[in-house]
Amino acid sequence: MKIQNPFNNLDQGLEKLNSASKKAFNLLNRDNRVKSVLILAVGVAAASFTTKTIMEKVSVKSSSITWIGKKVTGKHMGTIDLKEGHFEMDGENITGGEFVIDMTSITCTDLEGDSKGQLEGHLKSDDFFGVENFPTAKLVITKAVKDGNSYTVTGDLTIKETTEPVTFELEKAGDNFTTTLTIDRSKYNVRYGSGSFFDNLGDKTIYDDFTLDINLSI
């Protein structure tokens, strides 16, 4: 009479359990690999759409701002200093920027002696830019559209705590940016001698628009 080994059923059960465990483990590994690949793909896709904005500081010493103001009988010109400034760049695209102008540095370059001092003092007085109370002006870039080496720039210009939108063309050549910005001073409560607000000024009329020739180096 043949006696059946009582452990055979147990061994068979363990083998089946072991086989099932291996299959489950393999399935789990496969799922994990699929998930890893998906996560990596999503990460690469996200990285391809992620922009890296770099702040490009402007060299104050290498930059310059020249102003020109006109009146019925002629014009005057001079310089004003940039206090600080930077562009926000994504590659060759301008995404933002901020520039602070030192209004206390207004200088006239076409006059000498007492006439020079008198004009500079008048421009700094409350008749014009009131630099004692408003020592700085600020330009903040809100948008810039690139076309070759040119940018159509939109921003907010603040003078004497009055902010107005401005749009201008900016040219780039290497590390230099240049533009001519035309400003209507009357919009910033600078109305002395303005024919838009005062009558019978005659040849003492000072035109509202003045220009800034700006050269910025980074």
Side-chain angles (χ1 to χ4, degrees):
M1 178 178 173
K2 186 176 180 180
I3 300 175
Q4 186 176 1
N5 188 341
F7 294 100
N8 284 342
N9 291 336
L10 179 61
D11 290 339
Q12 292 174 358
L14 289 174
E15 287 179 3
K16 291 180 180 180
L17 180 61
N18 187 39
S19 176
S21 297
K22 287 181 179 180
K23 289 181 180 180
F25 181 75
N26 290 334
L27 287 172
L28 182 60
N29 279 343
R30 186 183 68 181
D31 289 344
N32 285 338
R33 286 196 298 271
V34 171
K35 289 179 180 178
S36 297
V37 171
L38 288 174
I39 291 171
L40 179 60
V42 171
V44 171
S48 66
F49 288 100
T50 300
T51 59
K52 184 177 181 181
T53 300
I54 298 175
M55 181 184 293
E56 292 280 8
K57 287 189 175 182
V58 170
S59 171
V60 173
K61 291 183 179 180
S62 301
S63 300
S64 63
I65 303 175
T66 302
W67 60 264
I68 299 176
K70 297 180 179 181
K71 55 184 179 178
V72 171
T73 57
K75 65 181 180 180
H76 291 294
M77 63 187 65
T79 62
I80 189 168
D81 294 339
L82 178 70
K83 185 175 183 179
E84 60 183 0
H86 70 269
F87 288 101
E88 295 171 11
M89 306 289 297
D90 176 15
E92 290 295 313
N93 294 313
I94 298 174
T95 59
E98 184 172 309
F99 305 88
V100 179
I101 300 171
D102 180 6
M103 299 301 290
T104 67
S105 68
I106 297 174
T107 302
C108 176
T109 58
D110 67 310
L111 295 176
E112 296 180 352
D114 291 342
S115 296
K116 171 183 170 68
Q118 288 173 3
L119 178 57
E120 291 174 354
H122 198 189
L123 290 174
K124 294 176 182 179
S125 74
D126 290 339
D127 282 345
F128 284 92
F129 297 104
V131 302
E132 184 175 345
N133 295 316
F134 310 101
T136 61
K138 183 169 68 173
L139 171 66
V140 176
I141 294 176
T142 57
K143 182 181 179 181
V145 179
K146 187 177 186 300
D147 182 11
N149 292 324
S150 301
Y151 302 83
T152 301
V153 178
T154 302
D156 293 323
L157 177 64
T158 301
I159 300 175
K160 298 180 72 173
E161 294 187 351
T162 298
T163 301
E164 293 287 340
V166 292
T167 300
F168 55 92
E169 297 298 316
L170 184 68
E171 300 290 332
K172 184 178 186 296
D175 291 335
N176 292 325
F177 295 83
T178 58
T179 189
T180 297
L181 184 59
T182 300
I183 301 169
D184 181 351
R185 64 187 177 95
S186 67
K187 292 181 178 181
Y188 301 90
N189 198 30
V190 183
R191 299 174 178 176
Y192 182 88
S194 171
S196 300
F197 294 90
F198 303 100
D199 298 325
N200 303 318
L201 292 173
D203 60 6
K204 294 182 179 180
T205 300
I206 302 171
Y207 297 123
D208 291 339
D209 287 350
F210 69 94
T211 60
L212 298 178
D213 290 327
I214 302 172
N215 179 26
L216 304 173
S217 296
I218 57 175

